[in-house]
Amino acid sequence: WYDAKKQSADMTVTAEPRHSAHSYSFAGEAARALFDRTKDISWAEKWYDAKKQSADMTVNTEPLHSAHAYSFAGNAARAVFDKTGDISWAKKWYYTYKQSADMTVTAEPRHSAHSYSFAGNAAKALSNATRNISWTERAIDCYQKFLSYYEINPNPRMDAVIHRIGNDVIFLQGFVR
């Protein structure tokens, strides 16, 4: 399944870029399923590559597809980071979720808010791993965007998450003062 979708995507990049982009996305789903089943990190890397390729190809033509594909690439990057601790994957986790959030502020504000929270989680992990204050500041910024959305759009089902993120902001602010 993965090989067929990847081959289809590779073969149609120039002739049918829309088909190619969606085939990369399907290949990413196949790689995700194989990673979930095998826990083989190479499948998570293929999952990331395919979703990121799909997102990159559709930024200007299908921005919502692109934004969602970036968030799925973020899931893959987090999976690799969680298994390896490799900082480069935490950065990919952050940047893909941040891209997704930035792209959907107006079109899908709730998706944007959640993507900001996930980008914040990645920035917090990078702050912990590198002790670089700029990652702490990025985590706070992303978390505050998430919290701002729920100040305007309260949802009692999100109270525990809102509370945790609010506490994280207070904690992280102690490092930047």
Side-chain angles (χ1 to χ4, degrees), residues 12 26-27 33 38 41-42 49 69 73 92 99 128 171 176:
T12 58
F26 296 138
T38 66
I41 205 72
S42 69
D49 289 341
K92 291 175 184 180
Q99 179 75 9
N128 290 337
F171 176 77
V176 295

Side-chain angles (χ1 to χ4, degrees), residues 34-105:
L34 288 162
F35 171 71
D36 288 345
R37 184 177 186 103
T38 66
K39 304 302 180 207
D40 180 338
I41 205 72
S42 69
W43 286 115
E45 292 167 345
K46 290 174 184 172
W47 169 23
Y48 172 84
D49 289 341
K51 287 295 186 176
K52 175 91 168 35
Q53 180 72 20
S54 179
D56 289 345
M57 290 178 72
T58 56
V59 167
N60 296 319
T61 56
E62 293 180 69
L64 288 179
H65 169 83
S66 178
H68 288 277
Y70 279 126
S71 66
F72 294 134
N75 291 341
R78 180 180 183 173
V80 176
F81 173 71
D82 286 347
K83 282 193 75 96
T84 66
D86 183 337
I87 298 300
S88 68
W89 284 99
K91 289 178 181 178
K92 291 175 184 180
W93 171 24
Y94 170 80
Y95 286 117
T96 52
Y97 263 113
K98 178 77 166 52
Q99 179 75 9
S100 179
D102 290 344
M103 290 177 72
T104 55
V105 169

Side-chain angles (χ1 to χ4, degrees), residues 131-150:
R131 302 293 184 223
N132 183 327
I133 206 74
S134 70
W135 288 114
T136 309
E137 292 167 341
R138 291 178 206 184
I140 292 168
D141 182 58
C142 287
Y143 284 157
Q144 286 176 330
K145 288 176 180 175
F146 169 84
L147 293 171
S148 292
Y149 172 81
Y150 279 105

